[in-house]
Amino acid sequence: MKSYTITVNGNVYDVTVEENGAGSAPVAAPVRAAAPVAAPAAAPAPAASGGAGNVKIEAGAAGKVFSVDKKSGDAVKRGDTILVLEVMKMETPVVAPEDGTVASIDVTVGQSVEAGALLATMNN
């Protein structure tokens, strides 16, 4: 057994930890990378209800619209931030999948969206 003194938020704790096995340390499970939030359609698709462009930009996860950085008519390059979603208390940029022009922004700041919801459309 090993004894440690730990300070958490200014409080001091004395803890005793029992060792498992003969010199073997626990092994941490590998951590998977998070999936990207924006899952835009790669191929041009017909405009969905509310969308005016031929490239749909959809939410990859449920969240709340934190900010809208572009407006209809703005030219964007691949990787430019179009809007930001707050997903699990983290600001997550939704980016342009290719060069083009923003055709429509289909959400407003503060709006809650589900995974797969149409956020914006572009013309390539």
Side-chain angles (χ1 to χ4, degrees), residues 2-89:
K2 291 188 177 185
S3 295
Y4 298 94
T5 301
I6 300 173
T7 304
V8 178
N9 294 333
N11 296 320
V12 178
Y13 300 95
D14 291 318
V15 294
T16 303
V17 180
E18 183 176 336
E19 294 181 44
N20 282 340
S24 64
V27 177
V31 178
R32 291 186 2 191
V37 171
S49 60
N54 60 356
V55 177
K56 292 194 272 183
I57 300 172
E58 300 173 340
K64 183 190 271 189
V65 179
F66 184 78
S67 69
V68 177
D69 298 352
K70 301 292 182 190
K71 63 185 183 314
S72 293
D74 285 353
V76 292
K77 296 281 186 192
R78 180 182 180 153
D80 286 353
T81 300
I82 295 175
L83 57 93
V84 177
L85 289 180
E86 181 181 314
V87 178
M88 296 179 62
K89 307 257 184 208

Side-chain angles (χ1 to χ4, degrees), residues 70-76 100-105 121-123:
K70 301 292 182 190
K71 63 185 183 314
S72 293
D74 285 353
V76 292
T101 304
V102 176
S104 69
I105 301 291
T121 61
M122 289 179 52
N123 288 317

